Amino acid sequence: MAASDASSASTVEEITPPPLDMNEVDRILEQHHSDSTELIAILLDIQDALGYLPIPALRHISEQLEFPINEIYGIVTFYKHFKLTPPPKHQFTVCTGTACHVRGAVQVFREFERQLNLDTTICNTTPDMECGLETVNCIGACALGPVVIVDGEFKGQVKQTRVSSMIKKATRSSGGDTE
Amino acid sequence: MSLDNPIRSSGELEDLHGVLVERRSEDHLCISICTGTGCVVGGAESVVDAFVEVISEMGLEEKIEVKPTGCHGFCEMGPLVTMTPSGYFYPQVHARDAREIVEKTLLNNEVVEKLLYHDPQTDEAIAREADVPFYKHQKRIILAENGHLNPTDIEDYISIGGYKGLAHVLDEMNPDEVITCVIDSGLAGRGGAGFPTGKKWEICQKQPSEPKYLVCNADEGDPGAYMDRSILEGNPHRVIEGMCIGAFAIGASQGFIYVRHEYPLAVERITLAIEDARTAGLLGEDIMGSGLNFDLKVVRGAGAFVCGEESALLKSLEGLKGEPKQRPPFPVEKGFQNKPTVINNVETWANVPHIINNGPEWFVGFGTEGSAGTKIFSLVGKVNNTGLVEVPMGVTIREIVFDIGGGIPNGKEFKAVQTGGPAGGCLPTSMLDLPVDFHALQEAGTIMGSGGLIVMDEDTCMVDVARYFTKFLEEESCGKCYSCRKGTQRMRELLDDICEGRGTPGHLALLEELGHAVNTASMCGLGQNAANPMLSTLRHFRDEYEAHINEHRCSAGVCTELIQYTILEEFCDGCAACSKVCPSECIVGEKDSLHTIITEDCIKCGSCLNVCTRGAVLITSGGGV
Ligand SMILES: Cc1cc2nc3c(=O)[nH]c(=O)nc-3n(C[C@H](O)[C@H](O)[C@H](O)COP(=O)(O)O)c2cc1C
Ligand code: FES
Ligand code: FES
């Protein structure tokens, strides 16, 4: 479960960039008829729209749905997909499902860790929020393992030796520097 | 006639089917391009675009149909392209090959030699899909359709006889007859426990409480298995039709499809299919004019393995934390909103229309006593042909891994196969001739599960595998039961000890005792099976555990703390590739002369091993190689 997110919640609000489009949140609530049994779908849609779940948005949902904030927080930290911190500019997701594991996903993951200088205390991103590293348990492309998702794009049969060029390629487009 | 108006009777469905079949039969050339997830990773979308472009440039749109399909199963070889009626097949096709394929193969029935598939074992070139060993040894019923269907086109599904089973049920059967048919077929749940599906339906149907609900479990939590994904992406209407038949039998008017959000394409395809079925009058109110009302809703999961467990799934459906509940009462008695609910796996639902169409005896004809029909397995890991395979129940593991899978790559030795996902177990070489059916697997200390088959070779460390699964379960435990929450943690810590060289002989006895306690004292299927990976590897690979403990030796060279990297003098030519990549700068040596690794500074990242082209870098452990 997303325990690291939970323990860092106090710092989360401090680093949250202030401008937050609550209209977007309202629009999504309306789409789901402000129905609290749709809470997971609402949270998924908000995260898709905003990239993460800002605490003020959660408070707002709690008020609108008349649903306790602690319950919402419980749900957000129960499901692995939900994030309380803003996403980095470039997200690297290494599949650590079984099929990828036996084909060397661990080596690939460690190589990413080594190459990216991650700040693991808050949210496993580089301090400048350029790059982030996370894992996922299988995305159903197991025949191509080890699989890595770079900014939403799937890469199959990734070798440890390809990691540094993957990082360079992803960050070059935005002029970022991570090494 | 086409689908502009909803279908109002089974007769209208039949008419439409007739029109669609006729439209296709006049020497219709078709090129099917797999756009399943695996092939999309390989670039299938640009291949589709290239074919569309070439064909329109040549003005052949009328003559050749380009059909994007779901997963054909042979994902490692993607993007896959197959042609009908010739049956020719090309793997790993690029956009640039499109013109040549159209000109030679489609128009002149001539194969393009350089694109042919080569059997990795015999190096023989094979032109037709049906002759490829990977396909030849399978019995594909559900998966076969994936290769010929455009999953976004309901007419395509109707043209292969889709919704015929539903029409038959609505016209000529009563609910009890449908249930009897499913019971007689011997269909058992494909999602885990293998509970008889017809029996489950019968219990639910008999409940006095109303309304009743149906759920399709597409959470597919087993990491390393993806058949449910491929069915939903490649043939969503099969699942919808199966659920409509179930709704008629059980008397349900609402159903849910619970899909993990990690499968965005599956969500998209099934959502579209539901809309299309509704428009076509095959879902929703008064289905095909029969008076049956049944509708479906897609609900996304948010990344929790335990939500595949049925009582947790129901909580998640209600928008809550997916914590399992005590059973009984079972969902068939008190499920969604405390109403009777049937939960079945994707593959279970997809089998239902086939059973109605072909009769229960046909289904019993495949498989063994107690395990009828075919099963799709996800054959992955250290095996030559990875992908989805569908076989009759009862074939042996050896047939799957060696005949279909083509054996182990790079001349390595087979070591084990893991079945049943994280809660399953590992089977060693001595059990290769075990038939895959529910009973035989259980006897051998593992389970069928949803059908993950992960092949491991001599380079896989079984203690590491046990640690991997235990850690997975530790992270995914919902935390409700102490035995599961703390037990998985403690087991993982003990396994860490062994992998990192702190193990003592007492560790093994402790693990065994703890494992039995966790399995006995936990409430849901996650905790009740949490010790299986450790217990089954300990049962079949005890010597590996002992080598880790007594000799600090990991013979597979996986456990970082127990291995050293060295450079072999006789192979090193001093090219300095290794010292250039070494992140801790611990490889010394002059250019063109022997390099050596300073073991104390080595962080064991394996970079040198990966760049050395001369095979001079060696992993040693506990004095052995
Ligand atoms: C921890 C755990 C995870 C499970 N995950 C899945 C899953 O991902 N997909 C699935 O179909 N069944 C899963 N099951 C089994 C379901 O609880 C349930 O038995 C099944 O969906 C019933 O459908 P069936 O009879 O068609 O197999 C899981 C069970 C447990 C205990
Ligand atoms: S295990 Fe990595 S994609 Fe399935
Ligand atoms: S995705 Fe193309 S064959 Fe599986």
Side-chain angles (χ1 to χ4, degrees):
Chain A
M1 315 290 89
S4 58
D5 284 349
S7 58
S8 59
S10 58
T11 48
V12 164
E13 274 176 280
E14 290 158 28
I15 62 167
T16 300
L20 173 65
D21 187 1
M22 221 48 105
N23 290 334
E24 188 67 17
V25 176
D26 282 327
R27 192 186 58 78
I28 291 167
L29 279 171
E30 203 164 302
Q31 239 174 31
H32 293 278
H33 315 290
S34 295
D35 178 355
S36 65
T37 66
E38 297 256 324
L39 191 54
I40 295 171
I42 293 170
L43 295 170
L44 282 169
D45 287 348
I46 292 176
Q47 179 158 308
D48 277 349
L50 306 179
Y52 73 116
L53 297 170
I55 299 280
L58 297 183
R59 288 222 179 86
H60 185 71
I61 299 169
S62 162
E63 280 157 22
Q64 297 297 311
L65 299 184
E66 295 176 23
F67 197 80
I69 181 80
N70 59 329
E71 291 276 339
I72 296 184
Y73 192 74
I75 289 167
V76 168
T77 50
F78 182 88
Y79 292 99
K80 204 173 165 189
H81 179 63
F82 293 128
K83 294 186 181 63
L84 291 165
T85 48
K89 215 156 168 190
H90 302 289
Q91 185 66 268
F92 301 96
T93 310
V94 180
C95 175
T96 50
T98 321
C100 293
H101 177 81
V102 301
R103 285 199 183 176
V106 180
Q107 279 79 6
V108 173
F109 183 78
R110 290 207 195 117
E111 188 68 25
F112 270 108
E113 273 190 323
R114 246 195 319 278
Q115 303 255 346
L116 301 165
N117 206 355
L118 298 172
D119 178 353
T120 49
T121 52
I122 297 186
C123 48
N124 228 24
T125 60
T126 49
D128 59 0
M129 301 290 290
E130 266 289 311
C131 294
L133 180 62
E134 58 175 15
T135 61
V136 65
N137 290 323
C138 190
I139 46 156
C142 321
L144 303 164
V147 179
V148 174
I149 312 174
V150 182
D151 293 333
E153 203 182 312
F154 290 23
K155 312 272 180 197
Q157 287 159 343
V158 175
K159 291 213 174 61
Q160 189 182 350
T161 40
R162 245 174 81 194
V163 168
S164 87
S165 69
M166 282 168 85
I167 297 173
K168 277 199 195 105
K169 204 170 150 207
T171 48
R172 197 185 315 137
S173 49
S174 67
D177 182 21
T178 49
E179 279 170 272
Chain B
M1 167 156 197
S2 77
L3 263 181
D4 298 333
N5 299 310
I7 297 167
R8 303 302 314 153
S9 68
S10 57
E12 283 185 31
L13 179 75
E14 217 174 298
D15 292 345
L16 176 62
H17 174 247
V19 171
L20 293 170
V21 169
E22 204 166 303
R23 199 190 292 166
R24 264 147 230 243
S25 56
E26 354 137 343
D27 47 52
H28 178 78
L29 290 175
C30 176
I31 175 151
S32 304
I33 302 157
C34 175
T35 52
T37 304
C39 290
V40 166
V41 176
E45 277 161 350
S46 65
V47 176
V48 174
D49 293 345
F51 274 103
V52 169
E53 197 185 311
V54 167
I55 286 169
S56 87
E57 244 174 58
M58 297 166 83
L60 294 169
E61 294 101 325
E62 290 295 305
K63 199 169 154 119
I64 303 173
E65 181 189 5
V66 179
K67 189 184 282 192
T69 71
C71 171
H72 299 193
F74 205 4
C75 315
E76 189 167 20
M77 281 288 142
L80 301 179
V81 166
T82 55
M83 278 140 280
T84 43
S86 68
Y88 287 134
F89 141 89
Y90 297 120
Q92 296 179 319
V93 172
H94 294 276
R96 60 170 184 271
D97 303 322
R99 183 170 301 275
E100 197 170 2
I101 293 176
V102 172
E103 284 172 355
K104 289 199 176 140
T105 314
L106 279 164
L107 296 178
N108 287 321
N109 220 15
E110 208 181 286
V111 293
V112 183
E113 295 287 338
K114 67 169 198 275
L115 294 177
L116 286 179
Y117 170 74
H118 286 258
D119 184 338
Q121 281 169 318
T122 59
D123 202 39
E124 181 196 352
I126 300 174
R128 287 195 166 78
E129 190 179 29
D131 299 328
V132 174
F134 177 79
Y135 291 116
K136 205 164 64 183
H137 298 286
Q138 297 188 39
K139 177 72 209 166
R140 293 152 65 89
I141 294 166
I142 296 174
L143 278 181
E145 293 175 348
N146 270 21
H148 307 292
L149 266 185
N150 178 346
T152 59
D153 181 0
I154 188 169
E155 290 190 0
D156 218 22
Y157 180 68
I158 292 173
S159 78
I160 62 156
Y163 290 106
K164 206 175 74 188
L166 175 62
H168 177 75
V169 161
L170 294 176
D171 259 16
E172 317 209 354
M173 292 173 91
N174 65 39
D176 291 335
E177 286 167 346
V178 177
I179 289 181
T180 309
C181 174
V182 177
I183 291 179
D184 290 347
S185 75
L187 175 64
R190 300 303 197 230
F195 190 83
T197 305
K199 267 257 136 16
K200 192 186 269 190
W201 291 15
E202 189 178 37
I203 301 170
C204 188
Q205 187 213 31
K206 295 228 151 71
Q207 298 297 315
S209 176
E210 296 276 346
K212 298 189 167 93
Y213 295 101
L214 301 188
V215 176
C216 169
N217 187 346
D219 194 50
E220 195 156 67
D222 175 0
Y226 64 106
M227 44 274 173
D228 293 347
R229 166 174 205 158
S230 289
I231 297 172
L232 276 189
E233 285 180 5
N235 200 354
H237 287 287
R238 256 302 161 227
V239 179
I240 297 175
E241 186 182 353
M243 291 188 80
C244 288
I245 294 170
F248 173 76
I250 294 153
S253 54
Q254 178 65 49
F256 301 93
I257 300 183
Y258 186 87
V259 197
R260 62 204 302 248
H261 84 95
E262 288 95 332
Y263 289 178
L265 188 61
V267 173
E268 188 187 311
R269 294 262 168 89
I270 190 74
T271 308
L272 176 76
I274 288 173
E275 279 165 22
D276 288 349
R278 235 182 248 142
T279 317
L282 300 166
L283 193 65
E285 279 183 19
D286 193 18
I287 293 173
M288 280 192 262
S290 69
L292 173 69
N293 300 327
F294 178 66
D295 213 340
L296 277 172
K297 181 174 165 191
V298 176
V299 177
R300 287 165 296 163
F305 171 68
V306 76
C307 286
E309 196 281 335
E310 51 190 27
S311 66
L313 186 152
L314 291 170
K315 288 268 200 74
S316 185
L317 271 186
E318 293 170 16
L320 303 172
K321 272 187 285 188
E323 282 174 350
K325 279 197 304 207
Q326 190 76 41
R327 299 176 314 165
F330 290 96
V332 281
E333 299 149 347
K334 281 186 168 115
F336 183 66
Q337 292 175 344
N338 279 330
K339 297 293 175 189
T341 304
V342 162
I343 303 174
N344 277 130
N345 167 264
V346 177
E347 194 184 336
T348 314
W349 288 117
N351 268 304
V352 171
H354 291 286
I355 291 171
I356 298 290
N357 286 334
N358 300 297
E361 304 77 25
W362 167 83
F363 196 73
V364 174
F366 306 105
T368 57
E369 205 180 326
S371 300
T374 60
K375 173 83 195 88
I376 306 178
F377 289 95
S378 162
L379 182 63
V380 294
K382 305 282 191 66
V383 58
N384 270 316
N385 304 329
T386 54
L388 294 181
V389 305
E390 184 174 351
V391 288
M393 294 272 194
V395 305
T396 63
I397 302 217
R398 185 187 301 280
E399 286 171 85
I400 300 180
V401 174
F402 290 90
D403 296 347
I404 299 174
I408 316 299
N410 309 322
K412 300 267 181 179
E413 269 312 300
F414 170 89
K415 187 189 266 182
V417 53
Q418 159 88 17
T419 77
C426 290
L427 299 169
T429 318
S430 63
M431 295 198 161
L432 269 174
D433 290 311
L434 195 76
V436 284
D437 71 32
F438 291 108
H439 185 68
L441 287 173
Q442 199 128 33
E443 291 258 288
T446 177
I447 51 170
M448 172 91 68
S450 58
L453 271 187
I454 294 150
V455 182
M456 305 173 187
D457 69 0
E458 57 188 278
D459 291 340
T460 316
C461 167
M462 300 314 288
V463 189
D464 174 70
V465 166
R467 167 165 78 160
Y468 167 82
F469 283 120
T470 311
K471 184 157 179 272
F472 175 87
L473 293 166
E474 176 191 358
E475 282 168 11
E476 296 296 339
S477 167
C478 79
K480 195 162 162 172
C481 307
Y482 184 82
S483 55
C484 176
R485 179 178 75 240
K486 272 294 162 195
T488 50
Q489 180 194 337
R490 192 67 196 116
M491 288 192 294
R492 195 262 307 146
E493 286 167 357
L494 291 167
L495 290 165
D496 273 348
D497 281 351
I498 298 175
C499 290
E500 291 167 12
R502 296 184 301 271
T504 66
H507 272 67
L508 297 186
L510 198 54
L511 273 173
E512 273 170 336
E513 189 189 339
L514 185 57
H516 289 299
V518 171
N519 278 7
T520 321
S522 303
M523 187 186 71
C524 87
L526 192 151
Q528 284 164 359
N529 295 296
N532 290 4
M534 179 272 291
L535 290 175
S536 81
T537 48
L538 198 49
R539 174 167 153 196
H540 298 299
F541 300 94
R542 200 179 183 95
D543 54 334
E544 273 193 49
Y545 280 83
E546 286 168 350
H548 279 69
I549 293 172
N550 302 330
E551 304 159 45
H552 288 189
R553 179 162 60 85
C554 173
S555 53
V558 171
C559 296
T560 329
E561 279 77 5
L562 304 184
I563 59 171
Q564 293 86 41
Y565 285 85
T566 36
I567 295 175
L568 288 174
E569 189 171 353
E570 54 274 39
F571 292 108
C572 177
D573 67 351
C575 72
C578 56
S579 58
K580 267 188 221 130
V581 294
C582 178
S584 54
E585 298 177 357
C586 70
I587 304 182
V588 293
E590 294 293 310
K591 180 104 180 125
D592 299 326
S593 64
L594 174 69
H595 280 56
T596 33
I597 298 175
I598 306 168
T599 309
E600 303 83 76
D601 297 339
C602 174
I603 58 167
K604 299 169 187 171
C605 66
S607 302
C608 49
L609 181 72
N610 275 316
V611 294
C612 182
T613 52
R614 302 183 53 84
V617 180
L618 192 73
I619 296 179
T620 60
S621 180
V625 178

